[in-house]
């Protein structure tokens, strides 16, 4: 990476003014590498997770239980991004929060590497907590590297940063997945810990290049607020300890005593947050209307992520049991399917960016609503496509790997239509009072979608059955068509936002 550092021409006094990283502040290299290694550890472990849960040499759970655990884990990562952002704003500041998060993530992966089912769930919890702390704060520090929203390098900086995400996500299944599946599951989890250790080490070494404001706590808790927060946390922790002690000692404890409350929280908290914002009397009429429109986008996005994130659980478990995981006679690990999406993102994202600009120049770029509804229809179409390999497997044959690649391709195109638009519309429609919190609200759509998948799995619904897959596909397509049909009403509520 040092070879790409050259003397820059940025304004003296700005962070990283002595050198540049692809024309950006030197601190971007630190954050790029931190995020790349963190995503390497996260996506590597995530690629192994459902396979380890169902494997005879792993925990040997049912597919439904494995899907529930996977879905709860992913929903928690996004749910914890909001309190993670709160810690950065009120307690430690972004830089310290990210450093602590890296340590917690590394400890979580090391715990997963222990050959014990008893410590496995503790490891998952630690990784989820660390990821939530890191996710909200590292992006904030990228923004701190620039002089403000009008800095012409800002958008390009975030583009470079997100390339780090996809590089880590692409490499992880190929390396960690191969070691985990072919050598030893726990070696794979240990390799994820090593990846996070490398990311944390270079973050600590390179942190001198970050903006000074990244170390500042923007709105620190007062002594009274700190005391109140600690008191409330202690009360709730005490209630949980007493409750689970009673359940355990009376012999009634099962895994569902953890999974059900967490999945319910994943559905209830997003509803509560949206309701609280919508009912806030400080919002003016225009902001109230914008929030009414935003709820449409939020619900639709939850449906999208409910299906999309099954690419790492339902599709992965199907591939493990019912797919011919080979190309031209060459076998490959099931976890490698998880590299398809990031490599497609890196290949297609520049094409989409160019395409929208070309249409915009001609005055033909689709509206936000059209892009969003198209993303929903495509993710539904991906599950209609899933019906083909399911039918092949039900006939007693192995489905070709290209069927799964095609499903991931359609889902990736849908993601490129919906996800960037969702991020953009979230920032545009956010009420001024909640400007910094609304990105966390957008992540809650992922939480709600994955929690719904978890609830279905806990209820015993087999998500690899043709009837269920067809129902989910239909739901997504209907939701996409509904958003498009009511685009006039939604546009009216959006006001000047486009």
């Amino acid at each position: 990476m040092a070879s790409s550092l050259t003397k820059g021409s940025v304004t003296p006094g700005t962070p990283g003014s002595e050198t540049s990283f692809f024309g950006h502040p030197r601190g971007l290299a630190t954050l790029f590498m931190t995020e790349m290694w963190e995503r390497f550890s996260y996506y590597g472990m995530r690629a192994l997770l459902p396979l380890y849960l169902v494997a005879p040499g792993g925990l040997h759970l049912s597919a439904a239980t494995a899907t529930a655990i996977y879905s709860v884990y992913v929903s928690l990562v996004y749910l914890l991004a909001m309190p993670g952002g709160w810690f950065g704003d009120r307690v430690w500041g972004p830089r310290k929060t990210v450093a602590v998060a890296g340590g917690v993530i590394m400890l979580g992966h090391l715990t997963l590497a222990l050959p014990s089912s008893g410590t496995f769930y503790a490891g998952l919890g630690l990784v989820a907590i660390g990821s939530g702390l890191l996710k909200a704060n590292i992006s904030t520090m990228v923004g701190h590297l620039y002089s403000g929203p009008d800095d012409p390098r800002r958008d390009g900086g975030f583009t470079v940063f997100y390339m780090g995400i996809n590089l880590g996500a692409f490499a992880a299944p190929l390396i960690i997945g191969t070691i985990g599946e072919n050598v030893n599951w726990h070696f794979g989890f240990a390799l994820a810990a090593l990846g996070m250790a490398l990311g944390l080490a270079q973050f600590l070494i390179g942190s001198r290049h970050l903006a000074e404001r990244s170390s500042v706590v923007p709105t620190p808790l007062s002594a009274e607020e700190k005391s109140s927060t600690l008191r409330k946390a202690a009360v709730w922790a005490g209630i949980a300890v007493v409750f689970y002690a009673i359940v355990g000692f009376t012999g009634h404890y099962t895994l569902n005593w953890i999974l059900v409350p967490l999945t319910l929280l994943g559905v209830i908290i997003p509803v509560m947050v949206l309701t609280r914002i919508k009912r806030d009397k400080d919002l003016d009429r225009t902001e109230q209307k914008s929030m009414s429109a935003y709820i449409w986008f939020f619900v639709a996005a939850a449906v999208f992520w409910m299906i999309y994130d099954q690419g790492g659980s339902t599709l992965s478990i199907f591939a493990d049991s019912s797919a011919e995981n080979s190309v031209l006679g060459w076998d490959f690990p099931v976890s490698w399917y998880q590299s398809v999406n990031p490599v497609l993102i890196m290949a297609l994202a520049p094409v989409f960016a160019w395409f929208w600009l070309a249409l915009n120049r001609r005055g033909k770029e689709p509206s936000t609503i059209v892009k969003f509804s198209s993303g929903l229809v495509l993710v539904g179409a991906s599950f209609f496509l899933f019906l083909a390999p399911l039918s092949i497997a039900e006939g007693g044959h192995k489905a070709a790997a290209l069927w799964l690649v095609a499903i991931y391709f359609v889902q990736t195109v849908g993601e490129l239509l919906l996800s960037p638009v969702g991020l953009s519309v979230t920032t545009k429609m956010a009420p001024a009072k909640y400007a910094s919190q609304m990105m966390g609200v957008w992540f809650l759509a992922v939480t709600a979608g994955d929690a719904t998948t978890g609830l279905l799995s806990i209820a015993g619904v087999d998500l690899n059955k043709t009837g269920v897959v067809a129902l989910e596909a239909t739901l997504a397509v209907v939701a996409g068509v509904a958003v498009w049909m009511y685009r006039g009403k939604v546009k009216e509520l959006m006001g000047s936002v486009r």
Side-chain angles (χ1 to χ4, degrees):
M1 198 57 69
S3 62
S4 61
L5 295 176
T6 58
K7 290 294 180 184
S9 57
V10 294
T11 305
T14 59
S17 60
E18 73 284 356
T19 55
S20 70
F21 176 69
F22 293 111
H24 293 274
R26 172 62 180 82
L28 184 62
T30 296
L31 298 176
F32 175 95
M33 294 297 290
T34 303
E35 182 73 354
M36 185 190 76
W37 283 115
E38 188 274 331
R39 293 290 88 182
F40 175 85
S41 69
Y42 173 79
Y43 281 103
M45 185 277 285
R46 209 173 90 158
L48 286 181
L49 180 57
L51 304 175
Y52 172 74
L53 291 172
V54 300
L59 296 187
H60 206 192
L61 302 174
S62 67
T65 303
T67 300
I69 293 170
Y70 177 93
S71 301
V72 168
Y73 165 70
V74 175
S75 72
L76 272 180
V77 168
Y78 287 92
L79 180 62
L80 292 170
M82 285 197 78
W86 181 86
F87 262 88
D89 287 342
R90 307 297 310 273
V91 183
W92 290 330
R95 188 184 301 190
K96 183 177 179 181
T97 304
V98 167
V100 171
V104 173
I105 292 169
M106 184 177 66
L107 180 61
H109 287 305
L110 287 172
T111 306
L112 291 172
L114 298 173
S116 167
S117 59
T119 58
F120 181 80
Y121 299 106
L124 275 186
L126 287 170
V127 176
I129 291 168
S131 298
L133 286 170
L134 187 140
K135 192 169 189 64
N137 289 285
I138 195 164
S139 295
T140 299
M141 288 196 291
V142 174
H144 288 169
L145 294 172
Y146 301 95
S147 57
D150 297 327
D151 190 320
R153 301 170 300 163
R154 186 182 180 91
D155 287 352
F158 273 97
T159 300
V160 173
F161 176 70
Y162 286 125
M163 286 297 290
I165 293 175
N166 285 293
L167 280 172
F170 168 69
L174 303 180
I175 299 172
I176 294 176
T178 301
I179 297 296
E181 286 190 65
N182 295 340
V183 181
N184 182 280
W185 295 108
H186 298 287
F187 284 174
F189 295 131
L191 194 56
L194 176 61
M196 189 65 253
L198 291 171
L200 179 59
Q202 71 82 40
F203 176 78
L204 296 174
I205 293 169
S207 60
R208 66 185 184 276
H209 298 294
L210 301 176
E212 290 183 7
R213 62 186 291 206
S214 294
S215 297
V216 175
V217 181
T219 52
L221 291 172
S222 66
E224 184 180 338
E225 287 176 314
K226 191 175 294 185
S227 175
S228 173
T229 302
L230 288 172
R231 187 167 56 251
K232 290 176 182 176
V235 168
W236 282 108
I239 290 172
V241 169
V242 171
F243 175 79
Y244 282 104
I246 292 171
V247 171
F249 286 127
T250 56
H252 292 94
Y253 179 79
T254 65
L255 193 57
N256 281 350
W257 281 104
I258 291 288
L259 294 179
V260 172
L262 290 177
T263 50
L264 288 174
L265 284 175
V267 175
I268 292 169
I269 289 177
V271 173
M272 289 176 62
V273 170
L274 284 173
T275 302
R276 178 174 61 84
I277 296 175
K278 182 71 177 68
R279 291 183 174 178
D280 192 333
K281 297 186 184 300
D282 290 342
L283 305 189
D284 60 32
R285 181 174 175 79
T286 301
E287 289 175 327
Q288 286 281 357
K289 291 175 68 175
S290 288
M291 280 305 301
S292 296
Y294 184 75
I295 289 171
W296 280 77
F297 288 106
F298 184 93
V299 173
V303 173
F304 178 90
W305 295 116
M306 178 184 73
I307 294 175
Y308 178 89
D309 274 348
Q310 288 184 59
S313 55
T314 304
L315 285 177
S316 186
I317 291 170
F318 172 83
D320 188 40
S321 62
S322 305
E324 190 69 49
N325 303 308
S326 63
V327 175
L328 301 176
W330 174 69
D331 295 334
F332 58 87
V334 175
S335 53
W336 282 25
Y337 285 111
Q338 302 309 307
S339 288
V340 174
N341 171 260
V343 77
L344 287 174
I345 289 285
M346 289 187 285
L348 295 177
V351 176
F352 270 72
W354 169 84
F355 186 59
W356 297 139
L357 282 174
L359 289 179
N360 184 267
R361 292 191 195 101
R362 296 180 175 90
K364 295 181 179 180
E365 183 181 1
S367 68
T368 293
I369 297 172
V370 170
K371 291 177 184 176
F372 209 89
S373 59
S374 299
L376 271 167
V377 169
L378 280 172
V379 84
S382 76
F383 260 35
F384 278 126
L385 187 60
F386 187 23
L387 294 175
L390 280 173
S391 298
I392 293 170
E394 287 176 359
H397 304 286
K398 293 279 188 177
L402 286 179
W403 279 113
L404 295 172
V405 173
I407 294 168
Y408 286 119
F409 175 81
V410 175
Q411 290 187 345
T412 301
V413 175
E415 180 190 2
L416 287 168
L417 284 168
L418 182 138
S419 187
V421 170
L423 290 168
S424 176
V425 83
T426 296
T427 59
K428 290 176 181 178
M429 297 176 71
K433 182 177 178 179
Y434 296 98
S436 61
Q437 297 179 43
M438 283 299 287
M439 199 56 70
V441 173
W442 169 252
F443 288 142
L444 288 180
V446 186
T447 296
D450 282 302
T452 302
T453 301
L455 284 173
L456 290 173
S457 298
I458 292 168
V461 176
D462 187 347
L463 297 174
N464 265 317
K465 289 295 184 182
T466 54
V468 177
V469 170
L471 185 61
E472 290 184 86
T474 302
L475 175 63
V477 171
V478 168
V481 172
V483 170
W484 182 80
M485 286 180 64
Y486 286 91
R487 63 193 182 282
K489 177 65 174 176
V490 177
K491 280 183 182 178
E492 179 188 337
L493 292 169
M494 289 172 70
S496 61
V497 177
R498 289 292 178 264

